[in-house]
Amino acid sequence: MVRSLERQRGLGWFGMVFVFGTIAFFAIIAVKVGPIYMNHMTVMKIVGGVAKNADYADAPPQEIRSTLERRWDIDYVKYIDDKDIKIKRGKSGRMLSYDYAAEVNLFYNVFVVVKFKDDFAMKPGSGDIDS
């Protein structure tokens, strides 16, 4: 019994390869997918900022889209285009909405696709009752 316990001291070669392989796999995923989420946080900040700005409450859709595109160019935003932005009318007023997918090559012919969708209520303009 003592002899069998001496042989079982820790991780073997195959176990170590499996553990390090698993860690490397998840590290690759984090390195590849992380920038997509960082990009999405910038998109949320920009679209939310435009939605909160009362100057755009009654602006035509093309003006809102061109403003968003200019801000995306400044902040190097990728994966989203002005056609992904929808301006809707709801019960509480106008809404800025986006729905887009970001795709990144993980390795060889394996891709990761992440979809993002969100709605932002636009702040009423100065001529509105709820200002």
Side-chain angles (χ1 to χ4, degrees):
M1 184 161 177
V2 174
R3 184 173 231 172
S4 67
L5 288 177
E6 287 178 8
R7 290 191 57 203
Q8 298 177 5
R9 287 193 201 179
L11 205 55
W13 174 251
F14 290 111
M16 196 168 19
V17 168
F18 177 76
V19 168
F20 287 134
T22 303
I23 291 171
F25 177 74
F26 285 110
I28 288 171
I29 290 174
V31 166
K32 296 281 188 155
V33 176
I36 291 175
Y37 282 99
M38 297 296 287
N39 184 73
H40 178 64
M41 285 191 270
T42 305
V43 168
M44 282 179 33
K45 182 180 86 173
I46 291 171
V47 174
V50 169
K52 288 179 185 176
N53 191 341
D55 295 340
Y56 297 109
D58 297 321
Q62 192 53 37
E63 181 181 344
I64 294 171
R65 286 189 178 100
S66 67
T67 300
L68 289 170
E69 273 198 33
R70 279 194 311 262
R71 291 186 184 183
W72 290 336
D73 287 341
I74 292 169
D75 287 335
Y76 303 109
V77 172
K78 299 188 297 185
Y79 309 114
I80 190 168
D81 198 56
D82 65 337
K83 66 181 181 230
D84 298 322
I85 296 290
K86 304 290 184 231
I87 300 163
K88 305 176 186 175
R89 290 227 180 255
K91 294 177 184 176
S92 61
R94 290 172 86 182
M95 302 277 292
L96 268 180
S97 174
Y98 61 79
D99 184 6
Y100 71 99
E103 180 180 293
V104 67
N105 185 323
L106 196 56
F107 50 85
Y108 188 55
N109 63 350
V110 177
F111 290 84
V112 174
V113 178
V114 185
K115 294 188 72 126
F116 298 104
K117 184 177 182 177
D118 206 352
D119 297 319
F120 293 90
M122 294 188 76
K123 183 176 181 177
S126 59
D128 292 341
I129 298 171
D130 295 334
S131 64

